[in-house]
Amino acid sequence: MERRVGLLRSACPSALVILFVCACHAPADPELIAAWYQPDRTFPEFRQLWYESWIEGPSGLTPELGGTAHVILRNGDQGPMRLLDVSVSGLSLRRAIAYSDQKLKRGLHPASFRFADLSDDALDALIAAGRPVWWRMDPVSVEPGGVAEAMVRLRSHPRSTPLSVDVQTSSGVLHVPVASSPPPAHIASIGIARSTDTAWVYVRSEEAEVGRLVSVHVDGRDVTSRSSVFHDPALPVALVVVQLEEPLARGTFHCFTVTTDDRSTAAAGLRVFPTELAYGVWGSQPGKASEAERARAYLHEIAAHNINVQMPMVGSAAVREFLKTDQGQEQMQSLGIRRMISDPGKGNTRDPYAYFLVDEPDCGDWRVRGLPADELVGSLAQSLVDRSATFRDSDPVTPHVINVDLTFKPENWYTYGQLPDILAADPYYQPRLRDAYWEHPGRLRLFTRATWVEAIARICHRACMPRPLHIILYAVSHRRRTPGRSPWPNTCPGCAPWAWAASRSPRSRLGSAAGG
């Protein structure tokens, strides 16, 4: 314990000098749990599907995938610790990722290091570091023994290795050299039991097989004796089942690390939300606001089809207004149906399934002014980080969802994949098939099978791992702008009859340049 002696002096010359002694605690430096760089995987077998990509426009630019730098640290102090800032190559990202006064969808503002008043040397340093897109500290306040993650999304791979990352905290600065080469193995998925006292950790190797697992840690504490490993040497994946001594609190952040016999470590951090099968419907049965009975029947019908989540709805004042009432909330609760909403407290919603931070931010990126074409995607990400933090302050136990569309493929999914608790994507296969028949017969060979859905789902899983992935399938009828209906049945047989019949083309309003 450090002792400090201070002097108090009165303004009066004849005053006595008073000595006092205070015992002060010297804060302990933050402890490094794990640090790694996760590069984007190219999936060259799917490259032919990105025929509408922005890179085929007049700019003639070549895509360059990047990666995400992760640093997980532990508070070894006796008191709370706050995360204050993250620096890359000695440059504060709090200052370097600056906002523009442009205002886009849902009030989001674009941010980029291009909008900051930086010197040429600072710009060159950030470009060499991989052109940071967004950064996040989660959680910002860490209790003793708790862990947090500093994350930096990079648009391209760092030119030099290791990448210099500094995490500034109230307990000191953690200097971390992050190697730009990927770890031999990674944690691809983490499932949490409803009781939150069991975790299923899936470890996947970049090589042919996973090495023998020798230790398992949660938040830096050894839980190997409470873990069981299931592994087939013929497969590049192993399952680790961790029986926790105490349940993890819902919404709290935790880190899982697994070490193999070659001393390589796979690590991942995430907020704890029980793994649930969410079978949701987007849209609802049309009706007027006064038609409460129509809304009641709708809820009973979706429950009969095992639908347990009402996603954001389109075109139904009847259901929207009924769900605002206490009767509507009570009926949803009795049927086991939850709701995803866009803001905390919206529509009198109780116990929401998730908060929908924004729909298709990559479409908003396309409209940002003042940035190079190859730096548009992710422009709204930092604003979404801030929105997520605001929601978390008011409700820490509800996960956040972002749905990413089809612009800037495949960079868009990697850019936003690590930002929400649950990533969503909408790989609509039937519209691609329909457009090929009606407008682009040369593409028919690409859609003889639904490889489009597989490609996007696999890339999105890679982008958001180890978090859950929500894939939105196309289950609606379609009307052309000219008379006539689609000759192909693109409403799934098991879907309810009120599936929204879109009166507009599902093509993005940005047209083929945006890849809608």
Side-chain angles (χ1 to χ4, degrees):
M1 181 173 294
E2 180 182 1
R3 292 185 178 271
R4 297 179 181 175
V5 179
L7 299 177
L8 280 179
R9 296 186 183 273
S10 170
C12 177
S14 61
L16 295 175
V17 176
I18 302 174
L19 299 178
F20 69 93
V21 178
C22 69
C24 303
H25 169 71
D29 291 335
E31 303 172 3
L32 177 64
I33 296 295
W36 72 99
Y37 175 72
Q38 192 65 55
D40 304 336
R41 184 178 170 189
T42 58
F43 289 95
E45 63 269 34
F46 301 134
R47 181 63 187 89
Q48 60 182 338
L49 294 172
W50 317 140
Y51 51 81
E52 290 178 331
S53 176
W54 61 276
I55 62 172
E56 295 183 1
S59 64
L61 295 170
T62 301
E64 181 181 9
L65 295 180
T68 307
H70 302 257
V71 176
I72 296 184
L73 59 157
R74 182 173 180 268
N75 179 10
D77 204 354
Q78 300 176 12
M81 177 181 72
R82 288 190 62 81
L83 274 63
L84 306 175
D85 197 0
V86 178
S87 297
V88 171
S89 298
L91 297 169
S92 163
L93 295 184
R94 185 175 293 280
R95 178 178 180 272
I97 306 295
Y99 284 104
S100 165
D101 58 2
Q102 302 172 59
K103 195 173 183 179
L104 300 177
K105 55 192 310 173
R106 289 206 68 198
L108 297 174
H109 292 271
S112 168
F113 67 87
R114 302 285 185 182
F115 296 141
D117 184 18
L118 300 176
S119 66
D120 291 343
D121 289 344
L123 284 173
D124 291 342
L126 289 176
I127 292 172
R131 294 185 293 169
V133 183
W134 58 267
W135 64 285
R136 185 182 68 190
M137 303 176 296
D138 188 31
V140 174
S141 181
V142 189
E143 294 300 315
V147 298
E149 182 175 33
M151 185 185 303
V152 182
R153 172 64 199 179
L154 301 176
R155 195 175 301 279
S156 52
H157 299 315
R159 295 179 185 173
S160 59
T161 186
L163 178 69
S164 176
V165 178
D166 296 337
V167 183
Q168 182 181 352
T169 77
S170 58
S171 299
V173 179
L174 186 65
H175 305 279
V176 185
V178 180
S180 58
S181 57
H186 60 266
I187 295 179
S189 179
I190 300 176
I192 305 294
R194 180 169 295 183
S195 58
T196 70
D197 61 356
T198 304
W200 295 274
V201 182
Y202 292 85
V203 183
R204 188 175 184 87
S205 174
E206 301 287 357
E207 307 299 333
E209 63 180 74
V210 178
R212 187 174 65 87
L213 305 181
V214 295
S215 68
V216 183
H217 290 75
V218 176
D219 297 343
R221 300 177 181 88
D222 195 326
V223 294
T224 307
S225 62
R226 304 182 63 86
S227 304
S228 302
V229 178
F230 301 89
H231 179 212
D232 183 343
L235 299 176
V237 65
L239 168 62
V240 182
V241 181
V242 183
Q243 301 289 342
L244 300 164
E245 189 172 359
E246 295 181 359
L248 303 175
R250 181 184 176 94
T252 55
F253 185 89
H254 297 276
C255 172
F256 295 79
T257 56
V258 177
T259 304
T260 62
D261 54 3
D262 61 359
R263 303 191 67 80
S264 63
T265 298
L270 81 168
R271 286 187 175 266
V272 169
F273 299 105
T275 303
E276 304 174 81
L277 176 60
Y279 184 30
V281 58
W282 293 70
S284 54
Q285 188 179 33
K288 298 179 181 179
S290 59
E291 296 180 297
E293 288 306 315
R294 183 182 291 267
R296 292 181 191 274
Y298 165 79
L299 292 178
H300 280 289
E301 186 68 14
I302 64 173
H305 285 80
N306 298 314
I307 293 172
N308 61 2
V309 179
Q310 173 63 61
M311 301 295 187
M313 62 190 64
V314 181
S316 178
V319 177
R320 182 177 62 250
E321 294 304 313
F322 181 65
L323 293 186
K324 292 179 181 178
T325 66
D326 291 340
Q327 296 87 346
Q329 291 295 313
E330 291 167 3
Q331 182 174 343
M332 288 185 70
Q333 185 175 5
S334 67
L335 294 173
I337 301 172
R338 300 171 72 188
R339 188 181 180 192
M340 183 165 74
I341 56 178
S342 58
D343 297 277
K346 183 175 182 178
N348 193 31
T349 300
R350 307 167 190 170
D351 186 29
Y353 167 72
Y355 294 127
F356 193 34
L357 292 181
V358 73
D359 186 29
E360 302 177 350
D362 49 327
C363 291
D365 291 335
W366 185 259
R367 297 165 52 200
V368 173
R369 303 183 305 275
L371 294 177
D374 63 337
E375 293 184 8
L376 289 174
V377 64
S379 303
L380 300 182
Q382 195 65 54
S383 195
L384 285 170
V385 170
D386 293 344
R387 172 172 291 173
S388 178
T390 301
F391 286 7
R392 196 84 74 191
D393 288 341
S394 63
D395 179 3
V397 300
T398 301
H400 301 166
V401 177
I402 292 176
N403 178 51
V404 179
D405 194 38
L406 301 172
T407 61
F408 306 99
K409 303 180 291 290
E411 297 91 330
N412 52 340
W413 301 304
Y414 284 117
T415 298
Y416 285 99
Q418 291 289 313
L419 201 157
D421 300 304
I422 303 171
L423 177 65
D426 45 12
Y428 297 158
Y429 164 67
Q430 292 90 336
R432 308 281 86 74
L433 178 63
R434 181 187 59 242
D435 290 347
Y437 270 101
W438 285 344
E439 302 174 18
H440 305 285
R443 298 175 185 166
L444 281 174
R445 64 181 182 83
L446 299 176
F447 299 105
T448 55
R449 298 178 60 190
T451 308
W452 175 266
V453 178
E454 176 196 0
I456 296 176
R458 288 181 62 187
I459 291 173
C460 287
H461 173 260
R462 177 78 179 196
C464 72
M465 64 181 189
R467 298 167 178 80
L469 172 64
H470 172 61
I471 290 294
I472 308 168
L473 299 180
Y474 191 79
V476 302
S477 59
H478 175 75
R479 294 175 182 170
R480 300 184 65 183
R481 293 178 179 176
T482 54
R485 293 182 65 85
S486 166
W488 302 281
N490 49 20
T491 299
C492 63
C495 291
W498 53 80
W500 179 45
S503 59
R504 62 178 176 83
S505 168
R507 181 190 299 274
S508 167
R509 67 179 181 276
L510 300 177
S512 61

